[in-house]
Amino acid sequence: MSAELFHLSGRPVIIGGGVAGLMTALALAPEPVLLLSKAPIGREASSVWAQGGLAASLGPDDSVDLHVADTLAAGDGLCDLHVVRDILAAAPQAIEMLTRHGARFDANPDGSLRLGLEAAHSRRRIVHAQGDGSGREVMRALAETVRNTPSVTVLEGLEARRLLTEDGNVTGILAHGPNGAVHIVTDRVVLATGGIGGLFLDSTNPLGSFGQGLALAARAGARLCDLEFIQFHPTALDGPGRPMPLISEAVRGEGAILIDETGARLGGELEPRDVVARAIWKHLQHGRRVFLDARQCLGASFAEHFPVITAACRANGIDPATDPLPVRPAVHYHMGGIAVDRASRSSLAGLWAAGEVACTGLHGANRLASNSLTEALITGLRVSEDLSGSAPKRLRKPRMQDLPQPSDPTAVRPILSQHLGVTRDDAGLRAAIAALQPIAENHSEAAADPALVGLMIAEAALARQESRGAHYRTDFPQKSVLAPSSLPRQVQS
Ligand SMILES: Cc1cc2nc3c(=O)[nH]c(=O)nc-3n(C[C@H](O)[C@H](O)[C@H](O)COP(=O)(O)OP(=O)(O)OC[C@H]3O[C@@H](n4cnc5c(N)ncnc54)[C@H](O)[C@@H]3O)c2cc1C
């Protein structure tokens, strides 16, 4: 271990500087913790880019029961009811906590929170900031608080490359920092590494979100589940840049319509995300183009409603007031992840997971929009409740390993994009597995870890011979007739 980190041995280590990681660190205060982030805090985290906001039943006509019902409907039979209740009942408290940490949400003239409506929510319950700048504001507040919290030691530019284990217990982390390999001795690790969009060619996620947490957990022997469930956002801006800017559902909510290159309307703009994504996908597969047209409904007021989206469009030479916006579906959110219990504990002793990398059972087969930031906050709290005060056991010196080379998902992106997209089938999934397996097994390959994650997703998608939520099989277009409670949540280790 490098000398500079020796004095930090034994502290809980949080890997990830998005909402989940920052919240976990703050909730654990005053317990001293290390927070590792490969990118500087505020960069390369989906959290910063969240547009819509955070769902919480705060309105006078709303209740936890209604929020639960909407979440269960989106999850299509695979949500864990107890977890859904637990997380959503705590959502108002999470908003309060963020306000205490200095987040400034959009408010009505009387000071009450202005609540937005999003598709598939039966009530106005989306707390937002600066219109579509919600994630940026939440991250500003949390990052500022973390930097002023002496118990949190933030180590930016440190990338975790392996979890070290012995006899089924976490014993440390092997990371790469500015001066090379770093061994950190700890028996308590929280993974908060975000999503997997960077494994695909078309994604709204930061390019660095390519499932590193899943690879770390899987190679250490932790169980993962529901990996086949990937949410595709139907309307990402179809320009040359990657990642793709998101054109939020709220734009369709304001009346924007979907048209093709001839100006003919597609319709169904306010259908669930997966339905809209498949409709657009089908058009594109036939060589057509699809545009979101907000000229009539918003026109010149577009920029006022959606400043972040306007900036992204203008950077691509498009003016939403006068131009239809070219769109295509893009990987947006991963419902699957590291299987955790209600305390956010994984199956591996000493490993917790929070935020998008975790699979709590809240989302089931599909995520209800704006439930994920809420989940990231609450899972952070749950980790801290379980972990706080747990004194380190007798620390073991981890067995040294060579530092794996940096991961590069470039080789796996075309494979996953071709075979694990909006629609899947047996032949495509088998082709993906055949292509990914040799890469995943060759540890000297830079794409080995991304290929391992892709392989696990493909195997889960092949095993699920039905269409449910965000997982659509053209060869099994129906939902299984089994009662949802008897359907397996697919677990891999
Ligand atoms: C464009 C966009 C809009 C969205 N809008 C909304 C919305 O309105 N409402 C909502 O609820 N959800 C939204 N989501 C989803 C939501 O933003 C994410 O699910 C959530 O922010 C995930 O938070 P997180 O802390 O788990 O991960 P992230 O915020 O992605 O943070 C992951 C962190 O882990 C670090 N990291 C990764 N691997 C390593 C490693 N090996 N070593 C060290 N550090 C590592 C990264 O650098 C980063 O700091 C949106 C997502 C996107 C992409």
Side-chain angles (χ1 to χ4, degrees):
M1 181 172 55
S2 71
E4 55 176 324
L5 290 187
F6 187 76
H7 64 289
L8 302 173
S9 287
R11 297 183 181 192
V13 180
I14 299 156
I15 305 176
V19 160
L22 297 179
M23 192 67 235
T24 307
L26 288 176
L28 276 163
E31 170 147 9
V33 296
L34 291 186
L35 189 144
L36 257 61
S37 177
K38 64 176 174 175
I41 304 291
R43 296 238 301 271
E44 273 218 350
S46 292
S47 299
V48 188
W49 296 353
Q51 293 179 354
L54 301 94
S57 53
L58 289 161
D61 61 344
D62 202 0
S63 68
V64 174
D65 283 347
L66 288 171
H67 193 177
V68 167
D70 294 344
T71 301
L72 295 179
D76 211 359
L78 288 193
C79 299
D80 179 327
L81 178 61
H82 297 293
V83 170
V84 174
R85 285 210 143 279
D86 180 48
I87 292 181
L88 300 185
Q93 171 205 342
I95 304 294
E96 221 179 274
M97 207 165 37
L98 282 178
T99 310
R100 274 205 309 278
H101 286 313
R104 291 183 291 264
F105 293 112
D106 295 341
N108 296 308
D110 67 358
S112 61
L113 288 172
R114 199 184 306 163
L115 300 173
L117 182 64
E118 279 187 352
H121 286 273
S122 60
R123 293 290 185 277
R124 289 193 162 268
R125 63 167 74 100
I126 315 302
V127 178
H128 47 90
Q130 298 156 17
D132 56 2
S134 306
R136 199 177 46 198
E137 171 58 11
V138 168
M139 282 293 288
R140 181 203 62 73
L142 290 179
E144 221 169 277
T145 315
V146 160
R147 297 213 189 273
N148 291 320
T149 303
S151 60
V152 186
T153 303
V154 177
L155 300 172
E156 289 160 306
L158 239 71
E159 179 184 53
R161 299 238 179 115
R162 283 289 177 268
L163 292 181
L164 305 171
T165 60
E166 219 171 302
D167 305 329
N169 290 275
V170 170
T171 54
I173 296 166
L174 178 53
H176 179 265
N179 301 318
V182 178
H183 283 89
I184 302 172
V185 181
T186 179
D187 60 357
R188 292 167 298 168
V189 172
V190 183
L191 284 171
T193 48
I196 60 159
L199 290 173
F200 290 75
L201 293 169
D202 295 338
S203 166
T204 63
N205 293 184
L207 293 177
S209 290
F210 54 81
Q212 276 186 299
L214 299 182
L216 289 169
R219 292 212 188 272
R223 292 202 329 232
L224 313 181
C225 73
D226 292 353
L227 295 182
E228 66 275 34
F229 294 110
I230 298 170
Q231 185 172 85
F232 291 81
H233 199 288
T235 54
L237 187 69
D238 190 9
R242 294 293 179 274
M244 298 167 80
L246 178 71
I247 313 295
S248 149
E249 233 124 35
V251 178
R252 276 172 283 140
E254 293 292 335
I257 56 170
L258 290 166
I259 57 173
D260 68 12
E261 71 281 3
T262 68
R265 187 165 174 189
L266 269 66
E269 286 83 5
L270 296 179
E271 293 285 331
R273 253 180 208 180
D274 55 306
V275 176
V276 184
R278 280 198 296 279
I280 296 178
W281 181 252
K282 211 167 133 191
H283 248 70
L284 298 174
Q285 293 300 94
H286 288 103
R288 316 288 296 272
R289 297 205 66 194
V290 178
F291 298 84
L292 188 62
D293 187 354
R295 291 173 299 180
Q296 285 290 320
C297 62
L298 288 167
S301 70
F302 193 103
E304 188 192 319
H305 281 77
F306 301 108
V308 172
I309 298 173
T310 302
C313 290
R314 287 190 181 149
N316 280 273
I318 300 165
D319 181 353
T322 54
D323 303 320
L325 315 177
V327 290
R328 67 164 47 235
V331 171
H332 185 53
Y333 184 81
H334 195 200
M335 278 70 76
I338 300 167
V340 294
D341 65 13
R342 278 210 254 170
S344 279
R345 221 180 292 141
S346 80
S347 64
L348 175 67
L351 182 67
W352 288 257
E356 189 166 341
V357 74
C359 181
T360 60
L362 172 68
H363 307 297
N366 213 347
R367 173 190 71 130
L368 182 65
S370 288
N371 265 355
S372 40
L373 281 178
T374 303
E375 183 193 41
L377 291 167
I378 307 294
T379 47
L381 290 180
R382 296 291 177 260
V383 169
S384 83
E385 287 157 12
D386 197 51
L387 194 154
S388 64
S390 64
K393 298 185 214 104
R394 196 175 55 80
L395 288 176
R396 309 182 206 196
K397 196 170 175 343
R399 278 200 210 111
M400 292 304 159
Q401 281 185 19
D402 289 338
L403 184 72
Q405 62 172 311
S407 281
D408 179 357
T410 308
V412 309
R413 283 186 184 132
I415 304 171
L416 292 193
S417 303
Q418 185 179 354
H419 300 302
L420 278 143
V422 174
T423 63
R424 295 125 184 223
D425 63 26
D426 182 276
L429 293 169
R430 287 185 194 281
I433 290 168
L436 292 166
Q437 192 142 15
I439 311 176
E441 285 170 0
N442 181 352
H443 288 247
S444 61
E445 278 253 20
D449 280 0
L452 173 69
V453 177
L455 181 62
M456 293 187 295
I457 296 171
E459 282 173 348
L462 182 66
R464 186 168 289 282
Q465 296 188 333
E466 63 164 346
S467 292
R468 178 181 294 275
H471 169 71
Y472 190 87
R473 292 273 305 250
T474 52
D475 47 354
F476 294 97
Q478 304 301 326
K479 214 175 287 186
S480 162
V481 291
L482 288 175
S485 57
S486 60
L487 285 167
R489 283 180 73 202
Q490 297 197 17
V491 174
Q492 287 161 312
S493 58

